[in-house]
Amino acid sequence: MARKIPEINAGSMADIAFLLLIFWLVTTTMDTDTGIVRRLPPPPDPNTKPPDIKERNVFNVLVNKNDRLMVEGRVGDIRTLRAETKEFLSNPANKEDLPEKRLENIPGLGQFQVSKGIISLKNDRGTSYDMYIQVQNELTAAINELRDELSKQKFGVKFSDLSDKSAIDAIQKAIPVSISEAEPENIGGK
Amino acid sequence: MARFKKEGSKELPAISTSSMPDIIFLMLCFFMMTTSTREVTLKVRIKAPEATEVQKLEKKALVSYIYIGPPTQTKLGTESRIQLNDSFRTIGDIAEFIFTEREARNEVDRQMLTTSLKVDKEVKMGVVTDVKQELRNVGAFKINYSTRKRAPKSNG
């Protein structure tokens, strides 16, 4: 006698599959890599002389092997670095010893005083990476804050919230990331 | 004028849920295919420094990673080592590494290739500088210092 086998209830199959799905979603770490983006300069050409830059246009930041800072010839502090960098790059009072500006016509902003200032960052071989990143971070923060201020003034929103491509370009042109990393030297030893 | 229909006789048949598991399985498969898990086992300890001004790296396919840090196996000492792909390498191997990374991408994307430096916070800059010089020499100018996001308040 052929007895009918009762059908297995497949109603909970969906729940099991959902559990699998959720397990997968939880376990895969979508580790989005974050970081500070920089552009390295091309290797120096031995035939061309480095361009002459006036002393007032250079902001010297040195980090030694004990992670101590020297900013513009004085002992510096990481906590004041951001404010100092901002003052250097914006030069609001048009001081004699802070960088010159050149008038540039930027589409979207009109005539704008672009600072000629360059931040020169020099580190020792013995500097810790953590300190180096902190300094880079403060310098980047200074530039970002200046960009935010300009963007708020001109477009009414923060730089990071700008969506218009031409507006972003204009701000980037008005306040460029002018961080130069000096050719490495071995001063303090390893 | 519509009237309320009498219940019972013309009830809507329940929607069949028998294909639900299949749909979910499809979703699962889709997720499994699209999420790419990195296949590198770290041989160096990397505790990335923290910073506030971090940017997200877009287009993961166009990023190659260089790991620098002290080895996880303590018998190998504490001197910072460079890891490319799955093994310890030296400064001299970086050029070749970059070239093979470039070969693996198609022509259009090669210019966009970013090198992400994943460096432990206690590493001395000497090694990092050497790596950077090497990257400059081979023309891999776009770099990224991998850092974790920190809340902007705690500064210093």
Side-chain angles (χ1 to χ4, degrees):
Chain A
M1 50 185 222
R3 194 185 284 172
K4 238 186 172 179
I5 304 164
E7 226 176 282
I8 296 167
N9 184 11
S12 53
M13 189 81 143
D15 304 300
I16 296 165
F18 253 124
L19 271 178
L20 265 168
L21 183 69
I22 289 162
F23 172 76
W24 185 263
L25 281 177
V26 170
T27 48
T28 47
T29 47
M30 299 273 237
D31 72 318
T32 44
D33 199 13
T34 52
I36 300 175
V37 180
R38 281 279 171 277
R39 223 187 148 75
L40 293 173
D45 191 351
N47 300 320
T48 49
K49 226 169 56 148
D52 280 329
I53 299 168
K54 280 189 199 158
E55 172 53 37
R56 65 182 278 200
N57 289 344
V58 184
F59 187 67
N60 279 304
V61 182
L62 280 81
V63 197
N64 76 356
K65 67 168 184 158
N66 297 325
D67 291 354
R68 300 282 302 268
L69 274 178
M70 186 157 96
V71 180
E72 288 286 74
R74 291 183 301 272
V75 177
D77 192 328
I78 188 88
R79 280 165 294 189
T80 56
L81 183 64
R82 189 185 300 197
E84 283 175 56
T85 314
K86 271 178 83 176
E87 205 204 341
F88 171 83
L89 282 178
S90 57
N91 193 4
N94 285 317
K95 278 193 199 158
E96 280 291 302
D97 55 342
L98 291 178
E100 305 162 281
K101 295 169 183 172
R102 65 168 176 267
L103 210 57
E104 245 181 66
N105 197 7
I106 296 169
L109 291 177
Q111 297 284 324
F112 190 81
Q113 305 250 331
V114 180
S115 172
K116 280 188 182 177
I118 293 171
I119 301 159
S120 162
L121 174 60
K122 199 176 214 173
N123 63 272
D124 191 81
R125 289 189 71 86
T127 309
S128 79
Y129 183 69
D130 192 26
M131 186 63 190
Y132 176 77
I133 288 296
Q134 295 316 316
V135 173
Q136 281 274 19
N137 183 49
E138 290 305 305
L139 298 178
T140 317
I143 291 168
N144 284 350
E145 279 181 18
L146 285 174
R147 281 181 170 176
D148 273 353
E149 283 166 21
L150 181 69
S151 174
K152 264 197 183 142
Q153 186 193 336
K154 298 279 182 191
F155 304 107
V157 284
K158 279 166 83 177
F159 177 67
S160 48
D161 297 337
L162 276 179
S163 52
D164 188 13
K165 184 85 173 55
S166 60
I168 293 174
D169 278 353
I171 300 277
Q172 278 176 344
K173 240 186 183 159
I175 300 167
V177 181
S178 47
I179 300 174
S180 140
E181 286 178 54
E183 295 295 314
E185 277 175 40
N186 193 356
I187 312 162
K190 252 192 177 175
Chain B
M1 210 167 93
R3 287 223 182 140
F4 290 107
K5 280 172 189 162
K6 251 192 170 179
E7 273 178 52
S9 57
K10 281 187 176 175
E11 209 178 336
L12 269 175
I15 297 168
S16 164
T17 53
S18 58
S19 53
M20 185 93 133
D22 304 301
I23 297 165
I24 307 296
F25 265 119
L26 263 178
M27 269 172 77
L28 185 67
C29 288
F30 172 74
F31 271 105
M32 283 173 79
M33 304 284 262
T34 48
T35 51
S36 59
T37 43
R38 251 190 307 118
E39 292 296 321
V40 176
T41 40
L42 281 178
K43 290 189 168 182
V44 290
R45 191 195 68 207
I46 286 174
K47 197 166 182 295
E50 294 182 340
T52 52
E53 311 296 317
V54 300
Q55 282 170 285
K56 259 196 190 138
L57 259 191
E58 274 149 38
K59 291 199 183 144
K60 263 174 143 180
L62 293 178
V63 182
S64 42
Y65 296 91
I66 294 177
Y67 306 91
I68 307 171
T72 39
Q73 278 183 292
T74 41
K75 66 178 178 190
L76 294 173
T78 53
E79 184 70 27
S80 302
R81 302 284 290 272
I82 300 166
Q83 184 191 348
L84 305 171
N85 290 331
D86 264 332
S87 54
F88 290 125
R89 289 297 161 90
T90 56
I91 298 284
D93 296 323
I94 286 179
E96 200 195 321
F97 170 72
I98 294 292
F99 287 135
T100 43
E101 286 286 307
R102 273 193 200 143
E103 285 293 309
R105 312 307 198 277
N106 68 45
E107 205 107 0
V108 190
D109 294 336
R110 278 183 200 163
Q111 291 301 313
M112 315 267 287
L113 201 63
T114 310
T115 315
S116 182
L117 299 177
K118 283 186 174 275
V119 185
D120 187 78
K121 58 200 277 191
E122 274 152 42
V123 167
K124 298 289 177 206
M125 276 307 286
V127 192
V128 184
T129 311
D130 290 342
V131 170
K132 269 161 63 186
Q133 287 299 97
E134 197 61 33
L135 288 176
R136 274 174 77 182
N137 289 336
V138 292
F141 298 132
K142 277 185 84 169
I143 59 164
N144 169 60
Y145 301 108
S146 183
T147 46
R148 283 176 303 146
K149 180 110 180 131
R150 178 184 61 192
K153 238 179 83 189
S154 58
N155 177 28

